[in-house]
Amino acid sequence: MYEEVTGSLMQSYNICKRQVWLMAHQIIPDQEHPYIEMGRLIDDMSYDRDRKKINFENVVIDLVRNDNGNLLVGEVKKSSKAIGSARLQLLFYLYKLKQNGIEAKGQLFFPEERKKIDVRLTSESEAEVVSAINEINDIINMDKAPAFEKIPYCKNCGYKEFCLS
Amino acid sequence: MKKPVYIFSDGELHRKDNTLYFEGESGRKFIPVENTSEIMIFGEVSLNKRFLEFISQSEIILHFFNHYGYYVGSFYPREHLNSGYMILKQAENYIDEKKRLYIAQKFVEGAYRNIRQVLKYYQNRGKNLDDIIYAIERLGDLIAGTSNVNELMAIEGNIREYYYKSFDEILGNCDFEFDARSRRPPKNSLNVLISFGNSLMYTTVLSEIYKTHLDPRIGYLHSTNFRRFTLNLDVSEIFKPIIVDRVIFTVVGKNIIKKDDFDEDAEGLLLKDKGKMAFIEEYENKLKTTINHRSLGNSVSYRRLIRLELYKLEKHLMGEEEYNPFVAQW
Ligand code: SF4
């Protein structure tokens, strides 16, 4: 099964492998759940270059065109707790942009902590993204969804009722 | 929370830009698109393609009922949740006779256990149901050993026959005597209520299926011919005793529906609109009633419980977890 890795799959990958598999198989149990909305917005964003700012839940992604014609992709997060996943997600966008011929720099903002972190697509971090993409593909190609294991995120997950029913 | 809209009057359904309204004798009534899950049409209603297009886009299902209040059919907008994977799994479990039988048995088992639960409840309240429960339990023991769907259907039919006999004892109301199960159109008031309630149940389950990735045309107990919806009939079996039948016991027991709520016409007996509305009110209340759900750790409504049942079935089809039907605790 071939499935294009999207922003929402990358985000799921950081949360739960089971979610990756379910999403890729178009099993989207609860349409009314805010999480699903979020995923859609992220997907929209990847291709909509006119939009400068996207708001959802506690995340804001800013696309800022700077003076040199270079793109700065900034991502604002509430807290640096999940910095690992925020970084990987941003790297994924940078990677996607690069594939479309756009070189961009990334920056994570944590306004409440007055923190700013540069994220660059180096050969090392690019390898990280590629390996994440590969792993996502491996998960998708599994015969069955990875077994359900309760994690703290389940509470807020759109799949909650599906997994727990 | 989206809600069903019920239309009893005659008139026309219209689309005006991005809104919907119903035009009847008593004027225009707007239908809030965002808050409507389905439209249940009992009156003589006309509509056009523009209207259907907008309904499709808004993912609202139309369910049609005839003069007697029985389900005629649905306008089921093109699937918005599409998972080729799930449809393959659904078909695979249908084609393989063993797999199909297993699921069909589980539906009958769910129906049987919930019927038994309803009867036990009334037995505990002093109703004389010992013989019927005994007979039903003997039949229930045979479910798992059936070797094909026809045999299974026959057992189900027998269980139901005994079960409906218990209604006279439970209700103790000579205006609502059972006699025999008659359909299309039913000949006595109790049969009218059963058919009407079952029709509502079929549409409720169909609407919930619409929100999953299951294809309602592939059923396991009721055989599939790909022209009709059958999966909703299957899943309804589990919920009829604890939803529809309990509503019947309430509306008759509390005199909410009485003998004079029925009319006789050339072909049979029918429930007047006032009676239908009273029944629907109880039915909707029942669907909203919540119960505690152990694994979810919170309370869920009966309507939600139907959805969870479908999720369980999906997980069975995906080979994750064997399906076991919901059984009421009381
Ligand atoms: S409910 Fe939990 S296990 Fe299921 S997909 Fe969501 S996070 Fe993963």
Side-chain angles (χ1 to χ4, degrees):
Chain A
M1 181 172 163
Y2 178 77
E3 183 76 26
E4 171 102 40
V5 172
T6 59
S8 24
L9 284 182
M10 188 54 78
Q11 203 188 23
S12 300
Y13 173 74
N14 282 304
I15 298 166
C16 162
K17 312 275 180 271
R18 178 171 165 82
Q19 202 182 79
V20 172
W21 192 97
L22 292 172
M23 270 207 157
H25 287 74
Q26 284 91 45
I27 295 160
I28 307 162
D30 200 340
Q31 284 287 291
E32 289 131 30
H33 197 278
Y35 171 78
I36 302 298
E37 278 301 303
M38 224 161 88
R40 266 198 217 119
L41 275 171
I42 295 173
D43 273 353
D44 285 353
M45 174 264 160
S46 322
Y47 302 100
D48 184 355
R49 300 215 185 105
D50 300 331
R51 236 192 267 166
K52 293 241 162 91
K53 195 177 199 176
I54 294 101
N55 259 298
F56 54 89
E57 297 285 279
N58 61 345
V59 187
V60 182
I61 294 180
D62 289 314
L63 289 176
V64 189
R65 197 176 282 276
N66 82 10
D67 295 338
N68 311 327
N70 280 333
L71 206 61
L72 180 78
V73 179
E75 193 161 332
V76 183
K77 295 266 182 191
K78 267 218 149 91
S79 99
S80 57
K81 253 193 246 151
I83 186 163
S85 98
R87 187 178 149 272
L88 192 63
Q89 212 184 311
L90 189 49
L91 283 170
F92 174 73
Y93 291 129
L94 297 178
Y95 174 78
K96 278 287 194 195
L97 288 169
K98 189 182 165 193
Q99 281 194 319
N100 285 297
I102 302 162
E103 294 276 351
K105 292 193 289 188
Q107 215 160 45
L108 289 173
F109 299 99
F110 304 96
E112 282 169 27
E113 300 164 19
R114 299 178 176 279
K115 249 201 254 177
K116 238 197 245 175
I117 294 167
D118 281 328
V119 177
R120 287 199 173 247
L121 201 62
T122 58
S123 56
E124 225 169 84
S125 57
E126 191 170 332
E128 227 179 295
V129 174
V130 171
S131 103
I133 291 174
N134 286 338
E135 206 190 320
I136 289 173
N137 277 318
D138 289 346
I139 295 169
I140 295 173
N141 286 320
M142 282 165 54
D143 223 25
K144 282 184 192 175
F148 166 61
E149 260 174 66
K150 204 168 176 180
I151 54 171
Y153 187 84
C154 297
K155 264 205 319 292
N156 309 310
C157 179
Y159 289 96
K160 179 184 160 198
E161 294 193 328
F162 179 78
C163 289
L164 285 166
S165 62
Chain B
M1 206 52 202
K2 295 186 176 194
K3 283 188 309 201
V5 167
Y6 288 87
I7 297 180
F8 279 96
S9 3
D10 300 344
E12 282 168 42
L13 279 163
H14 290 282
R15 168 191 183 169
K16 175 114 196 351
D17 303 320
N18 286 327
T19 57
L20 296 176
Y21 65 90
F22 173 74
E23 187 138 48
E25 282 162 14
S26 51
R28 274 186 187 187
K29 253 215 184 113
F30 282 85
I31 299 170
V33 182
E34 284 77 29
N35 304 328
T36 304
S37 53
E38 61 214 282
I39 304 178
M40 317 281 279
I41 301 175
F42 291 86
E44 281 305 317
V45 168
S46 52
L47 36 88
N48 60 21
K49 191 166 117 249
R50 261 170 59 76
F51 174 83
L52 290 177
E53 273 166 6
F54 190 57
I55 280 282
S56 271
Q57 211 182 307
S58 319
E59 294 166 7
I60 296 173
I61 309 183
L62 304 179
H63 297 298
F64 297 93
F65 298 82
N66 71 9
H67 177 60
Y68 294 92
Y70 310 126
Y71 177 65
V72 174
S74 303
F75 177 72
Y76 194 80
R78 115 193 89 67
E79 306 272 349
H80 58 291
L81 297 175
N82 237 322
S83 170
Y85 169 81
M86 191 59 81
I87 292 180
L88 282 180
K89 290 286 159 193
Q90 225 187 315
E92 190 185 299
N93 277 270
Y94 179 83
I95 293 165
D96 183 321
E97 261 172 58
K98 260 212 190 119
K99 288 183 180 170
R100 177 180 165 197
L101 182 64
Y102 176 85
I103 298 173
Q105 283 172 336
K106 287 293 165 182
F107 289 146
V108 174
E109 189 194 309
Y112 154 66
R113 288 187 184 277
N114 284 317
I115 282 173
R116 189 173 163 275
Q117 219 55 334
V118 167
L119 293 175
K120 285 266 174 192
Y121 173 83
Y122 285 101
Q123 188 185 39
N124 286 337
R125 315 215 133 189
K127 299 284 182 188
N128 179 15
L129 298 168
D130 304 3
D131 293 349
I132 290 179
I133 292 177
Y134 180 81
I136 284 182
E137 283 176 343
R138 294 293 75 73
L139 287 163
D141 290 342
L142 303 175
I143 295 171
T146 48
S147 56
N148 60 57
V149 174
N150 284 339
E151 205 182 304
L152 181 65
M153 283 284 246
I155 289 173
E156 205 233 341
N158 287 336
I159 291 177
R160 226 159 253 292
E161 210 169 295
Y162 276 107
Y163 173 54
Y164 284 132
K165 277 192 195 137
S166 74
F167 279 36
D168 289 347
E169 169 73 17
I170 292 173
L171 290 170
N173 181 334
C174 56
D175 285 340
F176 291 88
E177 268 182 4
F178 189 72
D179 299 334
R181 179 90 178 98
S182 58
R183 285 166 238 236
R184 270 176 229 156
K187 301 279 183 284
N188 71 52
S189 21
L190 190 53
N191 274 299
V192 169
L193 295 182
I194 293 171
S195 293
F196 183 60
N198 288 349
S199 292
L200 292 176
M201 192 79 245
Y202 298 146
T203 60
T204 303
V205 177
L206 184 58
S207 295
E208 290 305 312
I209 290 175
Y210 188 60
K211 293 171 204 149
T212 70
H213 305 75
L214 295 164
D215 188 319
R217 291 168 301 181
I218 307 176
Y220 298 90
L221 178 61
H222 296 86
S223 49
T224 291
N225 61 18
F226 292 102
R227 273 178 290 138
R228 282 193 319 136
F229 297 135
T230 49
L231 185 62
N232 57 328
L233 307 185
D234 286 7
V235 176
S236 290
E237 295 298 335
I238 299 168
F239 292 97
K240 269 159 34 175
I242 50 176
I243 297 180
V244 176
D245 300 339
R246 281 183 175 154
V247 168
I248 293 174
F249 300 147
T250 304
V251 294
V252 174
K254 291 190 179 165
N255 272 319
I256 296 170
I257 292 180
K258 292 181 288 290
K259 201 178 179 188
D260 60 15
D261 284 311
F262 297 84
D263 256 342
E264 189 136 24
D265 80 357
E267 281 174 79
L269 204 60
L270 72 148
L271 184 59
K272 293 182 201 164
D273 282 355
K274 193 177 127 274
K276 285 185 197 134
M277 288 181 206
F279 191 102
I280 286 166
E281 196 180 325
E282 284 302 320
Y283 177 76
E284 287 290 337
N285 280 340
K286 185 53 113 191
L287 288 180
K288 274 185 242 150
T289 309
T290 58
I291 59 164
N292 258 328
H293 192 282
R294 274 197 222 126
S295 48
L296 272 177
N298 53 328
S299 61
V300 292
S301 67
Y302 274 100
R303 186 185 275 277
R304 201 64 177 175
L305 212 53
I306 297 170
R307 180 94 67 91
L308 297 181
E309 203 65 9
L310 298 170
Y311 289 160
K312 278 156 59 185
L313 182 61
E314 286 188 328
K315 288 197 284 190
H316 177 88
L317 299 173
M318 290 161 70
E320 284 207 334
E321 216 176 288
E322 280 202 351
Y323 171 67
N324 273 303
F326 171 78
V327 180
Q329 293 305 305
W330 55 276

